[in-house]
Amino acid sequence: MTTETAPCEKRRRLDRVTAACDLCKKRKVKCDGEQPCGYCKRKDCANTCTFSGPKTRSVGSTPNNQNTNSTPHTLRSRAHSEGNTLRPRSRNGLNQDQVRLDSPLSPTTSRDDHHEDTVVPLEGRILRDAQGKFIFIGDCAPLSFLQTVRYLISSEVDPDGFPVPAARDCIIEIARPTAAGRSVDTSVNVHNVPHLVNRYLVATSGLAELFERNELVGEMKAWASGMTPHSDDAAGAVFFLVLAIGAQENDEARADAWFEHARSALSRNMCSSMNVATVQGFALVAIYMLRAFQPNGAYLYFSLAARTAYAIGIHRTEVNASFGESIRTMRDRIWKSLRVIDMLISTNLGRPPCTSDVDCTVKYNIVQMDNVVASNILDASVQIFMIIERVVVEVYSRKRISLRIADFVSRQLKGWASNWLQPLTEAVDRPSVRDTADITLVGACSTLCSYYYGIMLLTRPFLIYEIYTFMGASMKGTHAQGDHASKRKYADAALDAATSFVDTLQAVIRTGTLPHRMPLIVSWLFTTSLVLAVGTLGRSGSMFVENCELSIRCLEFFSNVDPHAGQYSRIVQSLLKLTAAHVKKREMQLRMQRKQASSELFGLLASDTNPPIEDPGLVRFRQSAEPSTSYALEASAPATAPMDWTMYDADFFALPWPTEYDPGLQDFLQPGTHNSDGASVADIPLFPIYDRQADQGFHP
């Protein structure tokens, strides 16, 4: 009897061990199943010993179901709707919404990688906005990269460099004044229409083409001449929004009045009149709110434009063709505009997009390019944003990076550059004198900035990895010298792209045509400034200090009206001051060591009885330093080979390998915690979803 009960007792014990607490799962230690468990008691973590609920899994998908476009939209949006629930995280860093079997698997992720999950509190990705409300910010957002940079500074440079209260920057969301109880003048002077339309076209160049440009002024002048019968319908609201965006730069009060009137008209007709004007209207509302520094409001209203577009079939080119060739072209361009606006908002906030290429048949390629850059800027913009979307999905959403993935994406970027880099650069360097010169110049600048940002988004994991290596942090795994050289090349590419970004933007600012309200450029410029500031800690030293100062001046140019730019400028100035001081201190210590060595050899200097105290980080740096080798960005001249533009369709990113795993780089894709006894490299949060400050004042 005893021999029979013993195995049963042991089997029950194994079942209880399987239901381990979250910390034991993460540390991969045996848990006794108690609440709190013995391991948590020994580690003084009894008050945080928690057990996650069982995972829900469903079946039905196959490994061939690899349409990655639906993953962030259908699954992560479901996680957002669950409010204050916990987000499980698997051992390889994937969130539960990426490991459920009912989601399509990325070609870079196999079923063998799906292990038992551990939970991460959802508030780890929550920041406060200016009003104190909690806002979700995802991994690819510029503010998430800021947290990664801060972690690097606190762990390797100066633990007190960024005080704890400053470790959480609020998301600035400008509160709009209420118009209730006061009369608003929405009259339109027909003589001002051409100027306001031109300012609208400049503001949205490279971002959206929702109208036939040659016909817009005539239609709006006819509408303004007798606007009373049509002032409250969706078409009238669209015209008011065009005027509002055009007046936003110089007459904000009048622009706000037109905007409020148009938004109210769209809301009244939203369900009863679902047509192209409704799509255009809510897309313009989103653009206006982005330029009014309300990204969360823009994210909300743009979803209405996206859903309406799906409802009337704008995402299907065969449906668009049924209305005739001219209307098909316009509806196709509206869909491309929606994709660009969507990726701008979602990438800026690190949130899943509202649109995808699932069931989409609109082609993003150009069959035959003409010599007029102005007519092709939207196509260049949507194509580079498609590559940025792949980087977000394959790297940041799935927390996976390797040299093969980077090489694959770099070929897509090189292919884009072979078609677009030269004409867009010429449009910036040698602007024309035509009436559309300002429109072309601003659109080319915005698209080039997106291209450089795409390079930085792909390569910034390699930059952080290279900086930690240079500063002497111990790395997991063994790597061949060739792999290390390749990673260093990608790290250098991030800095090269950042300097090119600043040079291009400086050239356009000097022309005096760039508006101060440019949410796309400001968001990408913040990441650029962070790359340049943190890059001084690596092998380049103070080489990029001047470029970083130029980026700060660019931020100050926009900060005249943009509070986000002002916030970013202050952050980067503080960071650059800290990194420059560290580099100077490091160089002085190296110089003193050389002098001391020369004195010991030849008696050049009097011996110092009190040798300088060395920085512990410098000791690690000296012990691990290798001969520095400079790498130029591969293929500085774009390739001339023709490109297969089918890659911009839904399945273009079908990677030809089942799994990718680089232990050294993978450490930077796993979120970690700051342990009291010092954090290892494996705990460095390249995707910093842990932010313990979120626990203060926020309880689910």
Side-chain angles (χ1 to χ4, degrees):
M1 186 68 180
T2 305
T3 58
E4 295 178 355
T5 56
C8 295
E9 188 65 27
K10 182 178 181 181
R11 185 161 53 250
R12 187 175 71 249
R13 179 63 178 174
L14 287 175
D15 291 340
R16 295 188 66 183
V17 170
T18 302
C21 75
D22 302 332
L23 181 61
C24 291
K25 290 179 183 177
K26 180 179 179 181
R27 299 294 176 85
K28 299 181 177 65
V29 298
K30 185 171 293 186
C31 181
D32 59 15
E34 298 292 338
Q35 178 68 29
C37 71
Y39 182 82
C40 290
K41 290 179 181 178
R42 292 195 302 272
K43 295 297 182 180
D44 296 328
C45 301
N47 58 338
T48 61
C49 182
T50 57
F51 290 77
S52 60
K55 304 191 301 285
T56 59
R57 293 180 179 268
S58 61
V59 296
S61 64
T62 64
N64 296 327
N65 208 2
Q66 294 178 351
N67 198 331
T68 58
N69 291 341
S70 62
T71 301
H73 173 72
T74 58
L75 296 179
R76 290 201 294 180
S77 60
R78 183 190 312 164
H80 296 170
S81 65
E82 293 173 355
N84 296 327
T85 58
L86 298 178
R87 299 193 69 184
R89 176 167 295 280
S90 66
R91 294 176 183 174
N92 62 2
L94 295 175
N95 292 330
Q96 184 182 15
D97 50 47
Q98 280 124 20
V99 300
R100 289 177 178 169
L101 296 181
D102 58 356
S103 65
L105 295 177
S106 167
T108 61
T109 306
S110 69
R111 296 185 186 274
D112 296 335
D113 296 323
H114 299 161
H115 303 297
E116 189 165 352
D117 301 337
T118 57
V119 297
V120 175
L122 179 61
E123 59 268 22
R125 294 189 181 190
I126 295 296
L127 298 182
R128 290 182 184 271
D129 65 5
Q131 287 75 42
K133 298 186 297 294
F134 288 96
I135 302 298
F136 173 83
I137 296 296
D139 298 324
C140 64
L143 282 178
S144 288
F145 184 50
L146 171 63
Q147 299 303 324
T148 298
V149 171
R150 278 184 160 144
Y151 193 99
L152 186 153
I153 296 297
S154 62
S155 63
E156 299 295 325
V157 178
D158 185 0
D160 300 323
F162 289 102
V164 173
R168 174 180 295 279
D169 294 288
C170 65
I171 309 301
I172 297 178
E173 184 86 1
I174 301 300
R176 300 193 58 79
T178 58
R182 57 188 178 92
S183 59
V184 178
D185 181 16
T186 59
S187 60
V188 178
N189 187 339
V190 68
H191 300 291
N192 295 333
V193 168
H195 171 71
L196 293 177
V197 170
N198 182 72
R199 300 317 303 167
Y200 159 80
L201 293 174
V202 171
T204 59
S205 181
L207 184 62
E209 290 186 20
L210 301 173
F211 310 96
E212 188 63 46
R213 184 181 300 178
N214 298 330
E215 301 175 1
L216 182 59
V217 174
E219 292 177 356
M220 291 194 62
K221 289 179 69 174
W223 163 79
S225 300
M227 67 176 187
T228 303
H230 308 286
S231 59
D232 291 332
D233 60 9
V238 168
F239 290 149
F240 272 118
L241 287 167
V242 170
L243 297 176
I245 294 174
Q248 203 171 8
E249 192 79 14
N250 300 317
D251 191 354
E252 190 173 4
R254 177 60 62 89
D256 283 342
W258 284 334
F259 171 77
E260 294 294 346
H261 176 78
R263 183 171 62 170
S264 176
L266 282 173
S267 300
R268 287 194 303 269
N269 297 278
M270 180 170 54
C271 297
S272 60
S273 177
M274 189 175 293
N275 51 31
V276 172
T278 308
V279 178
Q280 295 169 324
F282 282 114
L284 291 174
V285 168
I287 294 174
Y288 186 94
M289 298 188 78
L290 279 177
R291 290 168 52 83
F293 325 116
Q294 296 179 291
N296 289 298
Y299 184 77
L300 173 64
Y301 277 98
F302 179 80
S303 64
L304 298 176
R307 294 307 176 205
T308 306
Y310 278 120
I312 63 177
I314 288 182
H315 64 299
R316 300 295 295 268
T317 190
E318 63 272 17
V319 174
N320 299 337
S322 64
F323 296 96
E325 182 61 26
S326 60
I327 296 180
R328 181 198 67 81
T329 302
M330 191 67 255
R331 285 169 65 103
D332 283 356
R333 298 189 77 78
I334 290 175
W335 175 255
K336 295 176 184 179
S337 302
L338 294 179
R339 292 291 280 140
V340 172
I341 300 170
D342 190 18
M343 286 309 303
L344 167 61
I345 299 175
S346 59
T347 305
N348 184 30
L349 296 175
R351 298 174 187 169
C354 299
T355 61
S356 71
D357 288 330
V358 176
D359 197 40
C360 170
T361 58
V362 175
K363 302 296 182 182
Y364 302 131
N365 63 305
I366 298 180
V367 178
Q368 184 177 2
M369 292 178 54
D370 54 36
N371 295 324
V372 182
V373 177
S375 61
N376 297 324
I377 286 180
L378 179 64
D379 297 284
S381 183
V382 70
Q383 288 170 13
I384 192 61
F385 269 104
M386 291 301 296
I387 300 177
I388 291 175
E389 183 182 38
R390 295 305 93 197
V391 176
V392 172
V393 171
E394 296 299 332
V395 176
Y396 289 87
S397 295
R398 304 189 183 282
K399 314 294 187 294
R400 303 184 70 83
I401 185 64
S402 71
L403 287 172
R404 292 187 65 191
I405 293 176
D407 290 342
F408 188 88
V409 179
S410 69
R411 289 196 295 272
Q412 314 308 316
L413 290 165
K414 188 185 298 184
W416 183 93
S418 68
N419 282 324
W420 298 109
L421 187 57
Q422 181 177 352
L424 292 176
T425 302
E426 291 178 353
V428 170
D429 294 339
R430 296 189 294 272
S432 64
V433 295
R434 297 192 302 269
D435 294 338
T436 59
D438 292 354
I439 301 173
T440 304
L441 179 63
V442 174
C445 177
S446 298
T447 307
L448 285 174
C449 288
S450 297
Y451 165 66
Y452 296 130
Y453 176 76
I455 296 175
M456 287 183 283
L457 194 65
L458 174 66
T459 57
R460 76 189 195 195
F462 296 95
L463 176 64
I464 299 299
Y465 175 90
E466 171 63 21
I467 291 175
Y468 273 106
T469 304
F470 180 78
M471 299 184 72
S474 59
M475 296 296 156
K476 276 190 175 183
T478 58
H479 306 284
Q481 185 65 26
D483 287 348
H484 182 72
S486 298
K487 294 172 185 176
R488 181 177 294 178
K489 181 173 63 175
Y490 280 107
D492 291 342
L495 294 169
D496 290 339
T499 56
S500 299
F501 186 112
V502 175
D503 292 342
T504 300
L505 186 57
Q506 278 277 313
V508 178
I509 289 177
R510 284 194 292 266
T511 64
T513 61
L514 190 65
H516 288 80
R517 297 172 183 263
M518 297 295 293
L520 181 150
I521 292 179
V522 169
S523 296
W524 301 170
L525 179 59
F526 181 42
T527 296
T528 300
S529 301
L530 292 176
V531 167
L532 292 171
V534 77
T536 60
L537 297 175
R539 293 177 297 107
S540 304
S542 57
M543 182 186 305
F544 295 102
V545 169
E546 183 178 354
N547 299 97
C548 188
E549 291 173 346
L550 290 176
S551 72
I552 294 174
R553 293 178 194 173
C554 293
L555 286 171
E556 291 174 346
F557 167 81
F558 295 107
S559 67
N560 293 331
V561 296
D562 190 339
H564 290 132
Q567 179 192 32
Y568 299 157
S569 175
R570 292 187 293 271
I571 292 172
V572 177
Q573 288 182 52
S574 176
L575 175 62
L576 180 61
K577 181 179 179 181
L578 189 63
T579 56
H582 176 78
V583 171
K584 184 177 180 180
K585 178 181 178 182
R586 184 176 68 192
E587 293 174 348
M588 288 297 297
Q589 289 181 346
L590 288 174
R591 183 180 178 186
M592 291 301 298
Q593 291 167 9
R594 289 168 181 165
K595 284 185 177 182
Q596 184 67 27
S598 300
S599 176
E600 293 174 356
L601 287 172
F602 305 107
L604 294 177
L605 300 173
S607 60
D608 190 354
T609 56
N610 296 315
I613 300 175
E614 296 191 41
D615 188 351
L618 182 62
V619 175
R620 297 198 309 270
F621 155 73
R622 188 176 65 252
Q623 292 173 348
S624 63
E626 300 175 356
S628 59
T629 306
S630 62
Y631 292 89
L633 187 59
E634 185 178 10
S636 56
T640 58
M643 186 175 182
D644 181 11
W645 289 108
T646 57
M647 73 171 192
Y648 292 104
D649 300 335
D651 296 326
F652 90 95
F653 207 83
L655 305 183
W657 46 85
T659 59
E660 284 297 319
Y661 186 77
D662 187 318
L665 286 175
Q666 210 67 28
D667 292 337
F668 294 89
L669 300 177
Q670 306 295 335
T673 56
H674 207 31
N675 298 328
S676 59
D677 57 346
S680 65
V681 175
D683 290 327
I684 297 167
L686 182 66
F687 298 92
I689 67 171
Y690 285 131
D691 194 341
R692 295 181 179 275
Q693 297 301 317
D695 295 331
Q696 300 179 2
F698 177 63
H699 302 284

